[in-house]
Amino acid sequence: AQSVTQLDSQVPVFEEAPVELRCNYSSSVSVYLFWYVQYPNQGLQLLLKYLSGSTLVESINGFEAEFNKSQTSFHLRKPSVHISDTAEYFCAVSVTNDYKLSFGAGTTVTVRA
Amino acid sequence: EAGVTQFPSHSVIEKGQTVTLRCDPISGHDNLYWYRRVMGKEIKFLLHFVKESKQDESGMPNNRFLAERTGGTYSTLKVQPAELEDSGVYFCASSHGRGHGYGYTFGSGTRLTVV
């Protein structure tokens, strides 16, 4: 079975500052990795995913994550955050032929002016 | 296209009562999933439908939970009788195919409070 650890439950950050959300996973087989975001009063939205190929993946709103197999990590970064990035972020993993997702506990990002 | 719709958005019931949650997936999505987040912990998988068939129900916590998907369209999740530990947010998601590349579309969730 696979598991996901998000190392920070709360991350306060000032507007225009960089942010990094840490995610580590454990699995005995190859994994697919995802970051989801939940804005206040909304559902989960896929932010970005790693399935194969380049280990650096990017989203349309400036986030990026890098798959590091040796460190079993998939940290999420953004060089300059906006107030609108205030949300809860979830790292998730799934494996070949098993389409359910295993989620981390979530990281709440609060961006302050 | 309309997204995944869940209702009610909130439900408060007493211990021992019955509650039914509903999920309307995106039209044409054969795959439907239920997940649950209890008390700020991880979001956990409950079960997976392919059309009207249960593909994987390994995450269902006990036999007080019953999920159905009549005709392969909308799905219901019934909790009977509800217990305090059932409180949480129940998410539904759907996808067109089963490959990871398809991705899921999640609903906004139903927040269930059992008192």
Side-chain angles (χ1 to χ4, degrees), chain A residues 9 36 42 62 64 67 84 88 102:
Chain A
S9 60
Y36 282 85
Q42 296 186 28
E64 65 177 30
F67 170 51
S84 59
E88 190 163 17
S102 296

Side-chain angles (χ1 to χ4, degrees), chain B residues 3-92:
Chain B
V4 176
T5 305
Q6 292 186 247
F7 50 93
S9 58
H10 294 82
S11 180
V12 180
I13 62 171
E14 293 184 350
K15 176 182 174 182
Q17 289 185 323
T18 297
V19 63
T20 299
L21 314 181
R22 173 166 169 154
C23 170
D24 285 51
I26 291 173
S27 178
H29 280 195
D30 289 339
N31 294 272
L32 187 149
Y33 307 82
W34 284 97
Y35 286 81
R36 176 175 76 166
R37 188 183 192 195
V38 174
M39 292 188 65
K41 296 188 177 179
E42 294 88 351
I43 300 169
K44 290 205 179 281
F45 168 81
L46 297 179
L47 86 159
H48 171 204
F49 283 99
V50 177
K51 297 185 179 178
E52 67 275 10
S53 300
K54 292 177 185 175
Q55 185 74 18
D56 181 352
E57 51 184 330
S58 61
M60 294 288 266
N62 52 61
N63 60 10
R64 295 185 294 102
F65 289 76
L66 174 64
E68 296 180 323
R69 191 180 182 193
T70 307
T73 55
Y74 69 91
S75 175
T76 58
L77 180 65
K78 180 189 287 187
V79 185
Q80 179 183 30
E83 299 289 346
L84 298 179
E85 64 264 26
D86 300 332
S87 296
V89 181
Y90 290 76
F91 291 102
C92 175

Side-chain angles (χ1 to χ4, degrees), chain A residues 13-33:
Chain A
V13 59
F14 286 105
E15 193 174 20
E16 298 183 4
V19 70
E20 178 181 77
L21 309 185
R22 296 177 291 169
C23 172
N24 288 90
Y25 69 91
S26 65
S27 175
S28 58
V29 298
S30 295
V31 297
Y32 304 100
L33 294 156

